[in-house]
Amino acid sequence: MAKTELQTAEAEAGARRKRRSPVDLRNRILQAAADEFRRCGYAGATTAAIARQADVTEAQLFRYYGSKAQLFREAIFKPLDEQLSNLVATHMQPDSAEGICEQSALYIDELQRFVGENAQMLTSLIVAQTYDAASAQEVSAIGSLGEYFDRAAATMTARMRGPAKAPPQLMVRVSFAAVLACTVFKDWIFPPGLATEAEIRQAVKDFVRQGIGANHPFERG
């Protein structure tokens, strides 16, 4: 391609970028960032690669998001935070008309779905905080996770018929960790042929329900 033709193509590309609205640019950058963080993790992702995928310049990227940490927070943390808040609001109601057994089963199903749909994001989060803490120090924790643990512990405490066999704040964290580990690390923990997807999900549900039921046994019948 001749120099004049290349310059013309670059000018047309620049014009297309200029015509895009700020909302469109933000959305493109966030989508590209989410894809890059899922694929490469926090440490491996670069703002240059994110800008290329979003078809923007790095200068445009930094105009909207001042750092890689801010991008990670907006593309990974914020969606998780919002989804977990919705899960808490929908399935962690102490005064629900559903029985303890039914509500617990539904809650565990929804938790497994939530973790499964966001496994890549959660993996990026775990790696960033565990192995690249210095670089990710600007990234704040998922705010709704604390709300989730507090609401779950309060619900468990309200249903107890006597002294707790295990502290509710501890039990809800162990339950969450069990679902998280069995979902995020499923391919490593469960080799092919060991069990079907449905059998694994049911085993996780039974295990967590037994733990939840330690402080308030489910009604029989």
Side-chain angles (χ1 to χ4, degrees), residues 12-26:
E12 290 175 350
R16 287 196 299 272
R17 290 193 185 108
K18 290 178 183 178
R19 285 196 294 269
R20 293 196 298 240
S21 70
V23 172
D24 180 46
L25 287 173
R26 283 181 178 274

Side-chain angles (χ1 to χ4, degrees), residues 59-165:
Q60 286 176 305
L61 183 152
F62 285 120
R63 188 178 306 149
Y64 293 104
Y65 302 99
S67 67
K68 186 169 80 167
Q70 185 181 358
L71 260 178
F72 189 79
R73 187 163 53 243
E74 291 294 316
I76 301 296
F77 273 75
K78 196 170 181 179
L80 287 177
D81 193 51
E82 291 173 353
Q83 289 189 54
L84 190 54
S85 290
N86 290 336
L87 187 150
V88 168
T90 304
H91 297 290
M92 300 298 294
Q93 301 298 328
D95 57 351
S96 172
E98 296 173 322
I100 293 174
C101 183
E102 292 79 7
Q103 190 179 5
S104 297
L106 179 59
Y107 146 70
I108 298 165
D109 280 338
E110 285 300 301
L111 182 57
Q112 289 192 83
R113 180 197 60 75
F114 165 77
V115 174
E117 290 180 355
N118 296 283
Q120 289 178 310
M121 287 188 179
L122 288 164
T123 300
S124 293
L125 170 60
I126 292 168
V127 172
Q129 292 195 330
T130 303
Y131 300 106
D132 196 31
S135 298
Q137 60 184 348
E138 298 177 44
V139 180
S140 59
I142 300 177
S144 62
L145 190 57
E147 177 191 358
Y148 164 82
F149 288 143
D150 290 342
R151 181 78 68 86
T155 301
M156 182 180 291
T157 300
R159 293 171 176 171
M160 285 166 48
R161 302 191 183 101
K165 296 180 181 179

